[in-house]
Amino acid sequence: GAVVSQHPSRVICKSGTSVKIECRSLDFQATTMFWYRQFPKQSLMLMATSNEGSKATYEQGVEKDKFLINHASLTLSTLTVTSAHPEDSSFYICSARDYLTGELFFGEGSRLTVL
Amino acid sequence: GQQLNQSPQSMFIQEGEDVSMNCTSSSIFNTWLWYKQDPGEGPVLLIALYKAGELTSNGRLTAQFGITRKDSFLNISASIPSDVGIYFCAGSSGTYKYIFGTGTRLKVLA
């Protein structure tokens, strides 16, 4: 199947710093990418939809100034957690939609720990 | 956010048994996807369904797109220990967004 690469897989940072997570579609073009947060033993919670060349669409309750999303090309979206706090610690996952088939492929996930 | 009703929530089965799980929606979907997620990893796409009534297999896995277009089913035959994980359904009504099920946690006893 198609490959979506997410980096870094694990990151530990100090409270108050910013962390950037990258999501790349390696073998297809993704006009739309999605960012999720997943709490232990729960399903995926959609945070925002990232559209290439335009502003991201955030779900209700997600702070856009806190979670900055950039989708500068058809193969790359980034999520920046700004001024991170311990409550931002979580598993963040991206997905990319293959515009030809409509199928959704996920990255490997990024475990963020804020000390 | 909105989630699909997926059942069962969890199941313990013996190795070699067949497994069935389903997902239901209050609205009509045009696409159903089924995923498996291992701990600490992203979900992996298992099967994609595009048409009402469609039955698609991927090895020991078979999924069906319900004829009402409001449900989908996943079956795993002759389960093995590596089938353990969380299975998610996802549905789309034709927009770019997918809605995910609550997940079925599968544990296989050897």
Side-chain angles (χ1 to χ4, degrees):
Chain A
V3 179
V4 174
S5 175
Q6 193 173 334
H7 178 80
S9 57
R10 292 180 189 275
V11 56
I12 301 173
C13 70
K14 289 184 178 179
S15 191
T17 61
S18 295
V19 173
K20 181 187 281 189
I21 301 170
E22 292 188 348
C23 182
R24 293 180 186 272
S25 57
L26 298 185
D27 54 0
F28 66 100
Q29 293 184 330
T31 52
T32 306
M33 291 185 172
F34 303 90
W35 288 96
Y36 307 82
R37 188 170 176 176
Q38 188 175 34
F39 294 100
K41 297 187 179 181
Q42 292 191 25
S43 187
L44 304 157
M45 185 190 83
L46 179 64
M47 297 174 65
T49 302
S50 171
N51 298 301
E52 186 265 335
S54 63
K55 288 184 179 179
T57 305
Y58 290 81
E59 295 299 301
Q60 196 171 9
V62 178
E63 299 175 60
K64 58 182 70 176
D65 295 330
K66 173 79 171 169
F67 299 99
L68 299 178
I69 291 172
N70 184 275
H71 192 155
S73 76
L74 285 171
T75 58
L76 173 65
S77 176
T78 60
L79 168 69
T80 301
V81 182
T82 62
S83 188
H85 288 105
E87 56 264 31
D88 297 327
S89 299
S90 192
F91 192 56
Y92 293 87
I93 312 177
C94 71
S95 69
R97 183 175 179 272
D98 185 334
Y99 82 99
L100 287 177
T101 66
E103 291 173 344
L104 200 62
F105 298 96
F106 284 86
E108 305 95 332
S110 299
R111 169 81 51 200
L112 170 63
T113 303
V114 184
L115 303 176
Chain B
Q2 186 184 357
Q3 285 190 315
L4 302 176
N5 194 16
Q6 188 172 342
S7 68
Q9 230 178 8
S10 63
M11 51 197 314
F12 289 77
I13 59 166
Q14 292 287 338
E15 184 178 0
E17 286 184 354
D18 297 343
V19 174
S20 289
M21 61 190 80
N22 69 79
C23 234
T24 56
S25 165
S26 57
S27 51
I28 290 174
F29 285 147
N30 293 334
T31 305
W32 283 97
L33 306 177
W34 283 93
Y35 293 89
K36 177 179 183 247
Q37 185 178 25
D38 291 326
E41 298 182 17
V44 174
L45 181 63
L46 300 173
I47 294 178
L49 302 163
Y50 299 103
K51 218 165 48 172
E54 179 181 352
L55 190 71
T56 298
S57 292
N58 177 6
R60 293 178 295 105
L61 277 62
T62 302
Q64 184 164 23
F65 195 137
I67 55 172
T68 65
R69 295 169 64 192
K70 292 184 177 182
D71 54 10
S72 181
F73 309 88
L74 176 69
N75 295 306
I76 305 173
S77 63
S79 58
I80 58 178
S82 62
D83 290 334
V84 67
I86 305 174
Y87 292 80
F88 290 104
C89 63
S92 173
S93 58
T95 66
Y96 57 86
K97 264 192 191 178
Y98 279 90
I99 301 170
F100 284 84
T102 46
T104 295
R105 188 177 296 270
L106 177 65
K107 296 190 179 179
V108 180
L109 307 172

